[in-house]
Amino acid sequence: MKQAILSWSHFLPTLLPVPISPKPQKTISLRVYATVESSPKENILTAKERRQLRNERRESKTGYNWREEVEERLIKKPKKQYKSWTEELNLDNLAKLGPQWWVVRVSRVSGHDTAERMARALARNFPDIDFQVYIPSVQVKRKLKNGSLSVKPKPLFPGCAFLRCVMNKEIHDFIRECDGIGGFIGSKVGNTKRQINKPRPVDEDDLEAIFKQAKEEQEKADQAFEEEQAEGSLDSKLIKDSTIAPTDDKVVPKKGGRKSKKASDLLAVDALRGSDDKSLIPGSTVEVVSGAFAGFSGILKKVDSKAGLATVGFTLFGKETLADIDVKEIVAEVG
């Protein structure tokens, strides 16, 4: 195995100095100019004087003073309407409001009948109280086919009836127990222990708006009915003018109407026989010119236009006998 020997010397190589030329430095000269003007002493205000000026500007402005408003709120404390929560549930306190309008829930379909039953029950059980029952509705008029006039109420607020009275607990409970009544419209009062639906009166302005709306709707319904009647009378007049019979000898059935029996029979006879004889009408005397009853005379009863047959009544052995004969085999008998 070969071994290598490295020689080491403690002498370090000498480094030659390298000349370094310094960079030229630029000199920047700055000049600052400051001028201080001496302000007059009378323009300098202290903090106290500035506060006084600010307060004077606030007081000179028009408007409410927020300090006075805050002081009034602190002085005037709202009084409690009820001493306890149980007193709020007492419905007898509603009598203090005097006569008011209340909204009662009724059936949407039979609301008028329910309101009438409630009014009769109140008049029977409370004869001393004054009350009014009102259901905003429009009286809709219709003319039937037989010529009679039908008037039916159409409620503006289905499911609601308005009652005006002095409310208390007795009347409230009595109305709640009536058939078809679903209670009063109001708000829930009380706490977690007990809650009730306390009736709420209707504002006078809202009620005036309801009366006005009902009046306007009624006027519109009456105007629409009058226009419909005018159009109906005009149409009937036009139909009547168009169904007037012409001046010629032929009988023309009414246009759009039901043909009369005599006219239809006569037209059928003329069409089938092809003759100009217009005297073959039911009830006239005819003579059979051909066929099994040739030579017989009888009374024409009716004419079947589809089958082309005429029913003639003959008197045989003192009795009347009916026979169906072809319309081509009969002629009107000349008297």
Side-chain angles (χ1 to χ4, degrees):
M1 182 176 180
K2 295 181 180 181
Q3 296 181 355
I5 299 174
L6 298 176
S7 61
W8 177 80
S9 177
H10 65 278
F11 295 101
L12 296 175
T14 59
L15 299 176
L16 298 176
V18 179
I20 299 174
S21 61
K23 293 182 179 181
Q25 296 180 357
K26 295 181 180 180
T27 58
I28 300 173
S29 62
L30 297 176
R31 295 180 182 181
V32 179
Y33 297 93
T35 59
V36 179
E37 295 181 358
S38 60
S39 59
K41 293 183 179 180
E42 56 269 11
N43 292 336
I44 300 175
L45 299 177
T46 61
K48 184 177 181 180
E49 292 174 349
R50 288 196 299 270
R51 285 196 299 270
Q52 289 178 356
L53 290 175
R54 185 169 62 250
N55 293 335
E56 290 177 358
R57 287 195 301 268
R58 287 179 178 177
E59 292 176 358
S60 63
K61 291 182 180 180
T62 58
Y64 69 93
N65 191 352
W66 62 273
R67 291 183 179 180
E68 294 179 358
E69 185 178 356
V70 173
E71 290 176 357
E72 289 179 359
R73 288 184 180 180
L74 294 176
I75 293 173
K76 295 181 180 180
K77 294 183 179 180
K79 296 181 180 180
K80 293 183 178 180
Q81 188 176 2
Y82 302 102
K83 296 180 180 179
S84 62
W85 66 273
T86 55
E87 187 178 357
E88 186 179 4
L89 303 181
N90 188 5
L91 296 179
D92 290 331
N93 294 327
L94 296 176
K96 299 178 182 179
L97 301 175
Q100 296 288 336
W101 284 98
W102 314 91
V103 184
V104 184
R105 292 191 180 95
V106 295
S107 174
R108 296 176 63 90
V109 179
S110 59
H112 281 79
D113 298 337
T114 304
E116 290 178 0
R117 289 197 301 268
M118 180 183 66
R120 288 195 296 267
L122 286 173
R124 183 171 56 253
N125 292 274
F126 300 94
D128 298 333
I129 66 171
D130 296 332
F131 67 92
Q132 296 178 6
V133 178
Y134 173 64
I135 297 182
S137 58
V138 178
Q139 303 297 326
V140 181
K141 300 178 183 179
R142 289 182 58 189
K143 191 172 183 180
L144 303 180
K145 293 182 179 180
N146 56 3
S148 61
L149 190 64
S150 173
V151 180
K152 290 185 178 180
K154 180 182 178 182
L156 294 179
F157 303 96
C160 295
F162 293 84
L163 172 66
R164 178 179 174 85
C165 67
V166 179
M167 185 63 63
N168 55 27
K169 181 174 175 55
E170 185 180 5
I171 298 176
H172 174 271
D173 295 343
F174 178 79
I175 294 175
R176 284 289 303 270
E177 294 177 359
C178 292
D179 294 337
I181 300 297
F184 290 84
I185 293 180
S187 58
K188 288 186 177 182
V189 295
N191 53 16
T192 56
K193 295 182 180 179
R194 184 187 175 191
Q195 287 185 352
I196 63 170
N197 185 22
K198 190 175 183 179
R200 182 177 55 194
V202 183
D203 191 13
E204 293 293 338
D205 297 337
D206 296 339
L207 201 64
E208 289 294 334
I210 292 173
F211 290 155
K212 185 178 180 181
Q213 181 181 357
K215 184 178 179 181
E216 292 176 355
E217 293 293 335
Q218 184 64 48
E219 292 177 355
K220 291 180 181 178
D222 294 341
Q223 185 178 1
F225 177 73
E226 292 176 358
E227 293 177 356
E228 184 180 357
Q229 288 295 107
E231 292 178 359
S233 61
L234 181 61
D235 294 341
S236 61
K237 185 178 180 180
L238 293 175
I239 293 174
K240 185 177 180 180
D241 295 340
S242 62
T243 55
I244 296 177
T247 56
D248 56 357
D249 296 337
K250 289 188 178 181
V251 179
V252 180
K254 293 183 179 180
K255 184 178 180 181
R258 187 177 178 182
K259 295 181 180 180
S260 63
K261 186 176 180 181
K262 293 183 179 180
S264 61
D265 293 343
L266 183 57
L267 289 175
V269 171
D270 292 341
L272 293 174
R273 295 177 70 248
S275 63
D276 295 333
D277 192 0
K278 306 299 184 301
S279 59
L280 289 177
I281 58 176
S284 62
T285 304
V286 295
E287 182 181 357
V288 182
V289 294
S290 62
F293 293 92
F296 286 90
S297 298
I299 305 298
L300 181 62
K301 298 296 182 181
K302 64 178 181 178
V303 178
D304 189 354
S305 58
K306 294 182 179 180
L309 299 176
T311 302
V312 183
F314 300 101
T315 303
L316 301 176
F317 305 105
K319 295 182 180 180
E320 186 178 16
T321 303
L322 300 179
D324 293 334
I325 303 173
D326 193 347
V327 294
K328 297 180 181 180
E329 298 178 356
I330 60 175
V331 293
E333 187 177 12
V334 180

